Amino acid sequence: MQQANHNFPPDLSGLSRTEWLTSLRKIGNDTGFSEPLGRAHAAIFVEDGDTLLVNFETMPGIEALSPTRTPFGFEMTGALGWSSLSILAHRDTWFRDPKIFAFFDQLQDDGFFDDFERVIFYGAGPCGYAAGAYSVTSPGARVLMLQPQATLDPRVTEWDERFAELRRLNFTSRYGYAPDMIDAAHHAYVLYDPHERLDAMHSALFEKRNVTRLRMPFMGGALQSDLMALDLLPSLIQAVAEDRLNTFSFAQMMRARRDHPPYLRKLLAKLDADERKELARMLCSNVVARMHAPRFRRRLAELEAEDDQP
């Protein structure tokens, strides 16, 4: 049975960028391996249990989201005793680099993934794209992607103008089109907000026999940070690893958003925009009864005043 390591991850939050990178490399070298992948990427492997989390992250994302300033995979090592392989990028690159192609080729040739009972690929946004694209190197893996892009190839997704400056990246060579790369996965999950139009359009491209698409309405365009704020991401990934994630279990988890102010604000804004005043009043009444929510209290007073008008 895998055991938690309560001394992991270490706290690297007080280090300079140079000290931080040096510490990450040392952790990899001491517990598994550390490998630079060109000028813009690196791989850090922490060997522990027989479940492996392959997570794709950017360094600015780690600095913004992690209290310990460590890759998310380190948290799963500390909590559950999993092994982790963190593929890091200095910026949003969609991990389109021949050195990363060669790295995953070598892992596959060496039978690296065969040493683990379960392998999970995880990422969000551009990192979600990479999780899907490189999961092909570990047939039978589980894949969790938060609002991933399918490709930035303008011949396929010319409707997505958010990343126009990055269309020069080659998405037609190896590991290019993420939806095709998940065909060999045991199962893949795509989480998205259907009201985020471009995210929903990318999500539709992942519709496959082995894919479950899970909707997160009114959660917006930063699902990873919201799931972290709700403390749901570790249990969500664990459910993926154990094949327990489905529409019902996901809905149960997402009940936590009833206490998540950003979600509640988006929901109220939608009800107001649609002029559904009775539902807005019911929402405000519910929130005010459970939480300190001045905005909802003010809106409730406005709605009740409107009801009193002749």
Side-chain angles (χ1 to χ4, degrees):
M1 181 177 178
Q2 296 172 196
Q3 299 294 321
N5 179 354
H6 298 295
N7 296 318
F8 203 83
D11 188 351
L12 307 182
S13 59
L15 303 181
S16 69
R17 173 62 76 93
T18 300
E19 292 170 333
W20 178 62
L21 291 171
T22 299
S23 295
L24 284 178
R25 285 194 292 267
K26 185 176 187 305
I27 290 169
N29 291 332
D30 289 347
T31 59
F33 65 73
S34 171
E35 187 170 335
L37 303 173
R39 296 173 61 87
H41 304 94
I44 308 292
F45 172 56
V46 174
E47 185 173 11
D48 201 330
D50 57 10
T51 295
L52 173 68
L53 177 64
V54 184
N55 55 295
F56 295 80
E57 298 181 74
T58 65
M59 294 180 186
I62 293 171
E63 292 175 326
L65 295 174
S66 171
T68 58
R69 209 173 166 207
T70 52
F72 177 72
F74 286 18
E75 181 175 336
M76 301 305 283
T77 296
L80 297 174
W82 288 7
S83 297
S84 72
L85 175 60
S86 302
I87 312 300
L88 310 179
H90 285 279
R91 59 187 183 280
D92 282 336
T93 64
W94 277 260
F95 299 86
R96 300 298 301 157
D97 189 315
K99 291 188 180 296
I100 300 181
F101 302 167
F103 175 71
F104 276 96
D105 287 346
Q106 190 64 56
L107 293 181
Q108 190 173 30
D109 291 345
D110 292 344
F112 173 80
F113 297 113
D114 297 337
D115 292 336
F116 298 94
E117 183 177 332
R118 293 174 294 191
V119 180
I120 304 96
F121 282 72
Y122 165 73
C127 301
Y129 159 81
Y134 291 104
S135 69
V136 69
T137 60
S138 179
R142 282 79 171 164
V143 187
L144 176 62
M145 298 168 281
L146 309 184
Q147 58 192 108
Q149 290 81 49
T151 177
L152 296 189
D153 183 354
R155 295 174 299 178
V156 180
T157 57
E158 61 185 353
W159 33 263
D160 190 346
E161 298 179 351
R162 294 175 297 179
F163 317 110
E165 71 281 4
L166 291 166
R167 286 179 177 172
R168 66 183 183 276
L169 294 173
N170 185 349
F171 283 83
T172 61
S173 61
R174 306 187 63 231
Y175 303 108
Y177 186 55
D180 284 349
M181 298 297 103
I182 59 175
D183 283 345
H186 173 76
H187 205 84
Y189 302 85
V190 176
L191 276 56
Y192 68 102
D193 183 339
H195 299 288
E196 296 289 324
R197 185 175 61 87
L198 297 178
D199 287 346
M201 291 170 72
H202 277 282
S203 167
L205 297 176
F206 285 90
E207 183 62 34
K208 299 249 180 184
R209 56 167 182 78
N210 62 336
V211 174
T212 298
R213 295 165 60 227
L214 296 168
R215 303 164 78 249
M216 298 176 65
F218 308 113
M219 291 297 285
L223 300 185
Q224 179 172 245
S225 59
D226 282 324
L227 288 170
M228 286 181 170
L230 290 167
D231 197 26
L232 288 178
L233 191 55
S235 55
L236 186 63
I237 292 180
Q238 188 174 8
V240 169
E242 297 172 358
D243 297 326
R244 292 188 288 104
L245 187 62
N246 53 43
T247 303
F248 178 72
S249 64
F250 183 68
Q252 288 182 308
M253 287 185 188
M254 290 307 298
R255 286 182 61 82
R257 66 185 175 176
R258 296 174 67 249
D259 299 317
H260 188 49
Y263 162 74
L264 296 171
R265 288 194 293 267
K266 292 185 182 77
L267 180 55
L268 178 59
K270 176 61 174 175
L271 294 176
D272 282 342
D274 291 347
E275 298 185 350
R276 305 184 71 176
K277 293 183 179 181
E278 181 59 23
L279 285 177
R281 187 189 63 77
M282 293 171 62
L283 172 65
C284 290
S285 296
N286 180 276
V287 173
V288 167
R290 298 184 293 107
M291 304 169 60
H292 176 66
R295 176 182 299 189
F296 287 82
R297 189 176 297 279
R298 289 193 301 270
R299 183 59 182 140
L300 179 59
E302 293 170 356
L303 291 165
E304 290 178 342
E306 292 174 10
D307 288 342
D308 291 338
Q309 291 178 358

